[in-house]
Amino acid sequence: FQVVFYSPRIDATGELKNHTVVIKFILMGIPHTKGLEIELFILFLTFYLLTLLGNLLIIMAIISSSQLHTPMYFFLANLSVFDIFFPSVSSPKMLLYLTGYSHTISFHGCASQLFFYHFLGCTECFLYTVMAYDRFAAICHPLRYTVIMNQRVCAVLTVGTWLGGCLHAAVLTFLIFKLPYCGPNEINYFFCDIPVVLPLACADTSLAQMVSFTNVGIVALLCFLLIITSYIRIVYSILKIHSSEGRRRAFSTCSAHLTSILLFYGPVVLIYLRPASTPWLDSVIQVLNNIVTPSLNPLIYTLRNKEVKSALKKVLYQVVNPSAVQVIGLFSS
């Protein structure tokens, strides 16, 4: 059905005519998955809960352990915050309609979803770049690391990533939703995003398409080039280390970050920077990007990190057995 109201407009001939204006959109879900709602609900809910739990544990571990109060773990805590909010933009609504609730989303709700999706996505892109710079400073300039990455610099870089992401998302959202939507309102997707919302506009979308493609492309490419530049310098510095153990430890501190970068940039390139779009493939890639990748980051950053694993064990012990911790505290005092 069409959820619209009528608004009088003056056409090219100067006559007053009624035009339908969309006030709600209908999310059609993931293409070619009809009849799999229960299975998908269980699968997506599991990944979503794992994402929330894993990233909350990472944040708690970093806050509770004084050994992890360093720039690298400060940025990792920021990444965990984004990995909690990023899937929360689309997952709750998707889980609701998989259980049979309404597929509709209001016009302003759709705009908010698109804004927060690109705000958090772009901010995370900037954050990966900052994390690469942090690794560059730690490995290439170890004696000056604490001076280069002092608290003020970390705070400025973090605020800069948030403001940059907000500006990027605001420009895209304004360009997409200032267009009139007066025709079809069925979004063949599970959330509102540029490639599926823009074709529904009943006006010339060439400017919005050009700016969104350029904006996303420039941000992603610039960040990627800065990351590559940082890691070229890092690899060069590591190869100069004479000790094999030293080289191994240096590479291990970067491997988790590189893995996360590949998981983050792969979907961005496949969805936004391709000349042609395939709805089913785009949906699968977005599911991986929105739900699966944020749940993997806690594993990626803890599997080979003894400090984080040790802090996590302490947090889990305090959560599971708080009475025992109180008893130990009494005896130790």
Side-chain angles (χ1 to χ4, degrees):
F1 58 90
Q2 295 285 92
V3 185
V4 297
F5 70 87
Y6 290 93
S7 175
R9 292 189 181 182
I10 299 175
D11 64 8
T13 63
E15 295 181 3
L16 190 66
K17 292 188 175 182
N18 283 334
H19 291 261
T20 57
V21 177
V22 173
I23 60 171
K24 288 187 179 180
F25 293 101
I26 304 171
L27 298 170
M28 303 304 293
I30 302 172
H32 312 297
T33 57
K34 190 174 181 180
L36 299 173
E37 287 82 4
I38 296 175
E39 291 85 352
L40 290 175
F41 175 80
I42 295 171
L43 180 65
F44 294 158
L45 180 62
T46 302
F47 272 110
Y48 185 52
L49 293 177
L50 287 174
T51 298
L52 298 181
L53 178 62
N55 286 290
L56 280 172
L57 286 174
I58 291 288
I59 294 168
M60 290 170 63
I62 292 172
I63 292 173
S64 63
S65 176
S66 59
Q67 290 182 337
L68 303 183
H69 293 177
T70 64
M72 182 177 79
Y73 294 111
F74 171 72
F75 295 128
L76 178 58
N78 274 268
L79 181 64
S80 293
V81 171
F82 289 120
D83 282 339
I84 289 173
F85 287 119
F86 189 65
S88 299
V89 173
S90 58
S91 295
K93 181 67 178 175
M94 179 177 62
L95 291 170
L96 277 176
Y97 71 65
L98 283 173
T99 57
Y101 284 84
S102 174
H103 285 227
T104 61
I105 183 170
S106 68
F107 184 88
H108 295 295
C110 187
S112 298
Q113 202 174 57
L114 189 144
F115 170 81
F116 283 107
Y117 180 77
H118 283 274
F119 164 54
L120 293 168
C122 182
T123 306
E124 192 164 344
C125 182
F126 290 145
L127 183 60
Y128 278 123
T129 309
V130 170
M131 292 172 77
Y133 176 71
D134 172 70
R135 292 298 83 209
F136 161 76
I139 294 173
C140 298
H141 303 285
L143 299 179
R144 297 174 53 212
Y145 176 63
T146 54
V147 177
I148 296 172
M149 299 301 294
N150 57 56
Q151 289 185 352
R152 183 174 176 275
V153 170
C154 291
V156 169
L157 288 173
T158 303
V159 173
T161 61
W162 284 82
L163 293 177
C166 185
L167 178 63
H168 167 83
V171 170
L172 293 180
T173 306
F174 172 76
L175 286 173
I176 302 302
F177 287 94
K178 79 178 182 68
L179 296 169
Y181 291 84
C182 51
N185 67 333
E186 294 183 350
I187 296 176
N188 194 31
Y189 220 38
F190 62 96
F191 76 104
C192 295
D193 197 13
I194 296 171
V196 289
V197 173
L198 199 55
L200 302 179
C202 52
D204 182 21
T205 62
S206 57
L207 176 63
Q209 284 179 330
M210 181 187 70
V211 173
S212 60
F213 183 86
T214 306
N215 202 351
V216 173
I218 287 176
V219 168
L221 181 62
L222 181 61
C223 290
F224 188 72
L225 289 176
L226 289 172
I227 291 169
I228 291 296
T229 303
S230 296
Y231 272 99
I232 288 173
R233 294 288 304 275
I234 288 170
V235 170
Y236 179 72
S237 296
I238 291 175
L239 292 176
K240 289 166 65 177
I241 299 174
H242 298 293
S243 166
S244 59
E245 176 64 20
R247 287 197 298 269
R248 189 192 64 79
R249 289 185 62 186
F251 272 120
S252 67
T253 61
C254 301
S255 59
H257 184 232
L258 283 171
T259 305
S260 293
I261 288 170
L262 291 175
L263 289 172
F264 178 80
Y265 273 95
V268 172
V269 172
L270 290 173
I271 293 169
Y272 299 104
L273 304 181
R274 284 186 303 152
S277 178
T278 306
W280 183 83
L281 180 61
D282 287 352
S283 295
V284 172
I285 295 168
Q286 283 284 28
V287 166
L288 293 173
N289 188 40
N290 290 13
I291 300 173
V292 179
T293 300
S295 68
L296 294 178
N297 275 340
L299 293 175
I300 292 169
Y301 281 97
T302 56
L303 284 177
R304 299 181 65 183
N305 193 312
K306 293 180 181 179
E307 292 177 328
V308 176
K309 283 195 284 189
S310 175
L312 277 174
K313 287 178 182 177
K314 291 180 182 177
V315 169
L316 288 172
Y317 182 69
Q318 290 173 1
V319 171
V320 174
N321 200 359
S323 59
V325 174
Q326 291 175 1
V327 171
I328 293 170
L330 289 172
F331 279 109
S332 63
S333 60

